[in-house]
Amino acid sequence: MPLVYYVSGHGFGHARRTSEILRHLADLRPDLRVTVRTTAPPAIFAGLPTVTVDPPPMLLDPGVVERDTLTVDGPASLHKLADFFQSYDTAVASESAYIAAARPGLVAADISFLPGDAAHRADIPCVGVGNFTWDWIYQSFAPESPEHIDRVAAAYRRMECLLQLPLGHPVDSFRQVIPMPLVAGQPRIARDDVLARLDIDDPRPRVLVAMRGGVSDHALLTAARQSPHLLLLCTQRPRDAPANLRPIAITPPLDFTDVLAASDVVLSKIGYGILADCIVTGAAIAYPPRTGFAEDAISLQICPRYLRMAEIAPADFESGRWRGALDAALAQPIPSDAMDITGTAKVAAWLAGRV
């Protein structure tokens, strides 16, 4: 029987970790056909022979409203959630019919709640996979309309269990919670080969600039000029760039994790995906703080045990004064604690044994 996998399109982290799970699942069960329902870019799942991406015709996950790269708008997110429920019953009916027609042995969700109601109506078991739940996120916004959050939790309770990843919170909206180790990408190309493919032959510490939404050319140029002892790698191509600012293209066969593993420090906002990748590859991270992201408090409490981290003040981030944080991250000793990073294989094995 096939597997239908719903993946949140809010950011790329949900899709990237799901693609890793499905890569392992294909090795375990090459007979198992997987249909991914997501609004995330289908290219994230490219190269997986057992996977078909079938984008849904309507929004299946409201996520949150980001005022800018580093700020979540809580009230606007709650209004979006309320609007989502205006057409929720129609969406559930549509996806229930989709699931019934596919006749899967299992439905999985990272970590959309709608599949809980849709799979229940189709009489197909459903499980969640993720580190946080959306009801917990919405509760952090001092909700004006708690009844909508209650409906999110009720949909999760339709699922059999949550395979909960690290960097999560106490969960009471699922009937059963099964802890899992870290799910993260694994570099597949050796560091020297990555550098050769990128045509990089430079002894300076490498800084990968990985801000979704990008940074201003002014900040990037300022950062490079103030840090001549570092080599900055970015996908932007600003004019009049100094020699230590190297534009790169991350295209197949290179993956983001391959380039991260060949870097010494990454400049990025924090989130499960990038933190997990840094834990696996050993890269340090310099980050500007975010506002309104409830999961960040948990990440900042746990992650310094496992990786080198340094905060960049918001004003310094915007202006390109990154040198102090980058140097601080690189100067930290390698943490002695090690996190269990076998979650990709274990989640895949759990799913393989359940379908």
Side-chain angles (χ1 to χ4, degrees), residues 111 130-136 153 156-157 161-165 168-178:
I111 181 68
N131 59 312
F132 69 78
T133 61
W134 284 114
D135 58 316
W136 179 77
Y156 282 141
R157 278 191 285 273
C161 65
L162 170 67
L163 306 182
Q164 189 176 28
L165 309 180
H169 56 89
V171 172
D172 57 12
S173 53
F174 277 79
R175 289 177 283 164
Q176 182 183 14
V177 177
I178 302 174

Side-chain angles (χ1 to χ4, degrees), residues 42-65:
I44 295 175
F45 300 92
L48 300 179
T50 62
V51 174
T52 299
V53 179
D54 189 7
M58 62 188 74
L59 184 67
L60 298 180
D61 191 331
V64 296
V65 176

Side-chain angles (χ1 to χ4, degrees), residues 302-326:
I302 295 173
C303 287
R305 293 175 52 196
Y306 305 104
L307 58 90
R308 296 167 292 161
M309 305 179 70
E311 181 178 311
I312 302 178
D316 290 342
F317 168 71
E318 294 290 343
S319 65
R321 296 193 299 269
W322 304 346
R323 176 170 181 163
L326 292 173

Side-chain angles (χ1 to χ4, degrees), residues 30-355:
D31 62 305
L32 182 64
R33 315 320 292 178
V34 181
T35 299
V36 173
R37 297 284 271 177
T38 186
T39 55
I44 295 175
F45 300 92
L48 300 179
T50 62
V51 174
T52 299
V53 179
D54 189 7
M58 62 188 74
L59 184 67
L60 298 180
D61 191 331
V64 296
V65 176
E66 294 184 65
R67 192 181 308 151
D68 54 44
T69 305
L70 299 174
T71 309
V72 162
D73 188 326
S77 298
L78 292 175
H79 286 307
K80 186 178 181 181
L81 177 65
D83 289 343
F84 179 74
F85 275 113
Q86 295 295 316
S87 57
Y88 184 74
D89 291 342
T90 299
V92 168
S94 176
E95 289 308 303
S96 177
Y98 183 92
I99 292 169
R103 300 178 62 189
L106 182 70
V107 172
D110 182 351
I111 181 68
S112 302
F113 53 88
L114 184 147
D117 283 330
H120 177 78
R121 182 177 294 190
D123 197 26
I124 300 294
C126 180
V127 300
V129 182
N131 59 312
F132 69 78
T133 61
W134 284 114
D135 58 316
W136 179 77
I137 293 293
Y138 294 131
Q139 285 168 357
S140 70
F141 301 144
E144 301 169 2
S145 304
E147 67 272 13
H148 298 310
I149 300 174
D150 291 342
R151 292 187 69 181
V152 174
Y156 282 141
R157 278 191 285 273
R158 299 279 199 187
M159 300 184 187
E160 288 190 352
C161 65
L162 170 67
L163 306 182
Q164 189 176 28
L165 309 180
L167 310 185
H169 56 89
V171 172
D172 57 12
S173 53
F174 277 79
R175 289 177 283 164
Q176 182 183 14
V177 177
I178 302 174
M180 286 284 171
L182 193 74
V183 171
Q186 295 283 344
R188 298 179 179 87
I189 300 177
R191 172 182 281 227
D192 288 346
D193 290 342
V194 172
L195 297 177
R197 290 176 186 271
L198 295 176
D199 193 26
I200 294 174
D201 182 14
D202 193 307
R204 288 175 289 190
R206 290 174 289 276
V207 180
L208 177 60
V209 181
M211 290 291 299
R212 180 167 60 89
V215 297
S216 70
D217 283 356
H218 171 75
L220 198 56
L221 292 169
T222 299
R225 290 166 181 154
Q226 291 186 353
S227 303
H229 62 301
L230 301 175
L231 180 66
L232 275 64
L233 310 178
C234 65
T235 56
Q236 297 169 232
R237 295 182 179 273
R239 297 178 59 184
D240 301 322
N244 68 326
L245 181 56
R246 176 69 69 87
I248 62 170
I250 303 177
T251 56
L254 287 182
D255 178 77
F256 175 81
T257 309
D258 296 318
V259 179
L260 179 63
S263 304
D264 298 287
V265 60
V266 62
L267 175 80
S268 173
K269 61 183 180 181
I270 61 174
Y272 177 95
I274 189 65
L275 292 172
D277 284 350
C278 286
I279 289 171
V280 167
T281 63
I285 182 169
Y287 64 92
R290 305 193 297 180
T291 301
F293 292 82
E295 68 270 30
D296 286 4
I298 295 173
S299 298
L300 291 173
Q301 180 182 10
I302 295 173
C303 287
R305 293 175 52 196
Y306 305 104
L307 58 90
R308 296 167 292 161
M309 305 179 70
E311 181 178 311
I312 302 178
D316 290 342
F317 168 71
E318 294 290 343
S319 65
R321 296 193 299 269
W322 304 346
R323 176 170 181 163
L326 292 173
D327 287 347
L330 289 168
Q332 291 177 25
I334 303 294
S336 58
D337 287 353
M339 182 178 283
D340 186 345
I341 59 173
T342 61
T344 308
K346 289 184 178 177
V347 172
W350 193 98
L351 294 173
R354 183 64 181 77
V355 179

